Amino acid sequence: MKKIIVLAAALAMVGGVVMADLTIGGRVDTRMFNGDEGSFSQVDTRLQMNWQIDEYTQADVRMRWDVGDEKPDGQDTDDVYNFRLDRAHATVDLGGFLGTKEDMGLGIIFNAGYNLAEAKNTIDIDTYGWGGFEMSDWAMVGMQLHLDLMGMANLWTAVGMKAVHWEGETQEAGAEEDVNFPVFLGVDGSQDLGFATLGYEAVLHLLEGDDDDFELGLGFSLTSIEVAPDISLSTAVALTLFEDDADTDTIHKFTLGVHYADMVDTYMVLGGDEDEFLGAMGISTAVKLNDMVSAVVGIGLGLDDDVYEDTFDSFDVSVNLNLAAMTLRVGYFWQEEDNGIGNTVVGDEFVPTDGLGSGIYVRARVNL
C-alpha cells in the first residue's frame, strides 16, 4: 500500500511539472583573443529552462557547455570540452503563499537545489567592475532564504552542502571533527534621500574549512547626485576583509563617477590594501553614440612599486554594437609585460590576462 501511495505521489508531481508553463532561453557567448604570446578562444553556451509549476512555485535548470582553449598560469593546455549542469533549483514564494507580502510588506523567498551563492556587489558602479568586493563564491547543493522588508532592505542567507557533508565527516581520512558548512549572510538595499540614492550592502561569508575563517564585505554608494543640468555624480566605497588562519587582510576601494545626459560616463577607482593605502588606480570613460553604438576606454595605473613595475600598467579600448538580441564587442587590450600575472589593473571578466600579453579581442553574445 505504501508503495502505491508513493508511486501515485510521484506521478502527480511529474504530471504537474509537465503541464506547468515552460519557457526556454539562454545565450551563446563567443570570445577570441589574439595576443603576443598566443591566442585564446572559447564558446560558452547556456541553456535555461524555467517551469512555473503553480502560482508560488518555480523550477529552474541551466545547463552549460564550454568549448575552447584554456591557459591557466600562462601555460597551454588541452582544449576545453566541458558539459555540465550549471544550476538546478526550485523557488517558492512563501510570502505570497502565506499572505505576508500583501498584509505586512514582508516578502519571503525560499530556494533549494544546486545553485550559486555570491556577494551581490550592489555597490559596484564602475565600468569594468573594479569597485566591488573581492569575495569568493561557490556553487553547490544547498538552501537560500531571502526576506524583502517593505522594499527597503533585503536579508538573505545561503547554506551549502557538499556530498561529503551528507556522510557526516570531512574528506580527511579518519577525521571526526564537526563539519563546517559554508554560509553566506547578507543585507542590502537602497533609500531615496532626495538629493541622491543611498545604496548599501554587507555580506559575511563563513568559510568551509574553519570556524575562524571568513570574508566580510561592506559597501556604500550614493548615486544620481545632481550637480548641474544633465550632469550628475556617483560615488561608492567598498571594503573586503579576509580572516584566514589568524591572518587579517583587507582590500578597500573608492569610486567616483561623473555622468553627462545618459551619454558619457567617466569613473575613477582607487584601490589599496593593508600594505599600501593607494596601490592602484583605474580610469575609464564610456561614450554612448546612439542606441546601437558605444565606445569604452580604460587606463590602469599601478601606484605600488612593490607590485607594479611601471606606473602605466594597462590599457583597454573597445567599440560595442547592440544589434537586437546580439551584442558585439571589438577592442584592443595592452598590459605591461613585467607587471606579473594577476596584477593587471584594467581588465574585465572576459579579457584573458594569464600570460597572453597584449592583443586584439572580439566578443559576440547572442541571446536565445
Side-chain angles (χ1 to χ4, degrees):
M1 185 63 181
K2 291 183 179 179
K3 293 182 178 180
I4 295 177
I5 294 176
V6 171
L7 180 60
L11 290 175
M13 292 178 62
V14 172
V17 171
V18 171
M19 296 300 294
D21 294 334
L22 171 65
T23 58
I24 299 177
R27 76 184 191 202
V28 178
D29 210 340
T30 303
R31 312 174 186 184
M32 293 176 287
F33 183 89
N34 186 11
D36 299 336
E37 304 298 329
S39 62
F40 170 94
S41 64
Q42 185 181 41
V43 178
D44 176 4
T45 303
R46 303 186 184 189
L47 180 64
Q48 177 99 19
M49 293 176 288
N50 305 314
W51 288 274
Q52 190 66 44
I53 299 175
D54 57 35
E55 183 179 358
Y56 307 108
T57 308
Q58 177 176 304
D60 301 279
V61 175
R62 190 172 79 181
M63 292 172 287
R64 186 171 177 177
W65 184 28
D66 295 331
V67 179
D69 305 318
E70 190 174 74
K71 300 175 182 292
D73 298 328
Q75 301 297 321
D76 293 346
T77 62
D78 295 335
D79 289 349
V80 174
Y81 185 90
N82 190 356
F83 184 82
R84 63 187 182 277
L85 184 66
D86 201 34
R87 298 184 186 180
H89 58 257
T91 303
V92 181
D93 181 6
L94 292 178
F97 177 76
L98 299 175
T100 61
K101 188 173 184 179
E102 181 177 352
D103 298 338
M104 304 167 54
L106 175 61
I108 306 174
I109 299 295
F110 178 76
N111 182 296
Y114 184 73
N115 208 346
L116 176 69
E118 60 183 346
K120 295 182 182 179
N121 263 333
T122 59
I123 43 79
D124 182 5
I125 62 172
D126 62 287
T127 301
Y128 286 95
W130 298 323
F133 301 138
E134 295 290 343
M135 302 180 68
S136 59
D137 53 30
W138 43 257
M140 64 181 70
V141 174
M143 297 175 292
Q144 298 187 22
L145 181 65
H146 298 250
L147 304 179
D148 181 0
L149 306 180
M150 295 179 291
M152 298 177 59
N154 301 299
L155 300 174
W156 63 279
T157 182
V159 180
M161 294 166 283
K162 291 185 177 180
V164 68
H165 293 154
W166 298 98
E167 303 171 3
E169 61 182 6
T170 65
Q171 293 179 330
E172 297 177 3
E176 296 180 357
E177 69 267 21
D178 295 335
V179 174
N180 299 311
F181 301 98
V183 175
F184 266 98
L185 300 170
V187 57
D188 59 80
S190 63
Q191 183 66 40
D192 186 0
L193 302 180
F195 69 94
T197 299
L198 170 67
Y200 63 89
E201 179 176 7
V203 58
L204 175 64
H205 181 193
L206 303 177
L207 303 181
E208 178 186 2
D210 194 310
D211 288 335
D212 297 329
D213 294 346
F214 65 87
E215 300 172 345
L216 174 65
L218 299 172
F220 298 91
S221 66
L222 286 174
T223 57
S224 302
I225 307 173
E226 299 291 339
V227 295
D230 295 328
I231 299 178
S232 64
L233 303 178
S234 61
T235 183
V237 177
L239 171 68
T240 311
L241 186 146
F242 307 89
E243 179 74 31
D244 188 4
D245 295 331
D247 292 331
T248 302
D249 300 317
T250 60
I251 295 177
H252 52 267
K253 299 177 180 178
F254 171 77
T255 303
L256 177 63
V258 181
H259 316 279
Y260 173 71
D262 295 327
M263 295 177 57
V264 181
D265 298 294
T266 298
Y267 294 98
M268 178 187 68
V269 181
L270 295 171
D273 54 28
E274 70 283 353
D275 296 324
E276 188 72 25
F277 183 74
L278 294 179
M281 175 188 296
I283 303 173
S284 67
T285 296
V287 180
K288 184 178 179 181
L289 303 178
N290 52 51
D291 291 338
M292 295 178 56
V293 183
S294 62
V296 178
V297 177
I299 298 174
L301 304 177
L303 307 180
D304 185 354
D305 294 337
D306 294 333
V307 178
Y308 302 97
E309 187 74 17
D310 294 316
T311 301
F312 187 41
D313 168 75
S314 46
F315 172 79
D316 177 67
V317 57
S318 65
V319 176
N320 306 278
L321 303 177
N322 295 311
L323 308 172
M326 176 181 176
T327 59
L328 177 66
R329 179 174 178 177
V330 181
Y332 176 78
F333 175 73
W334 173 87
Q335 65 174 334
E336 167 60 38
E337 295 180 358
D338 299 325
N339 65 359
I341 295 174
N343 294 329
T344 300
V345 179
V346 169
D348 64 13
E349 42 87 18
F350 82 95
V351 175
T353 59
D354 290 346
L356 288 177
S358 309
I360 298 174
Y361 62 83
V362 178
R363 177 177 183 178
R365 174 181 289 183
V366 179
N367 294 316
L368 304 177

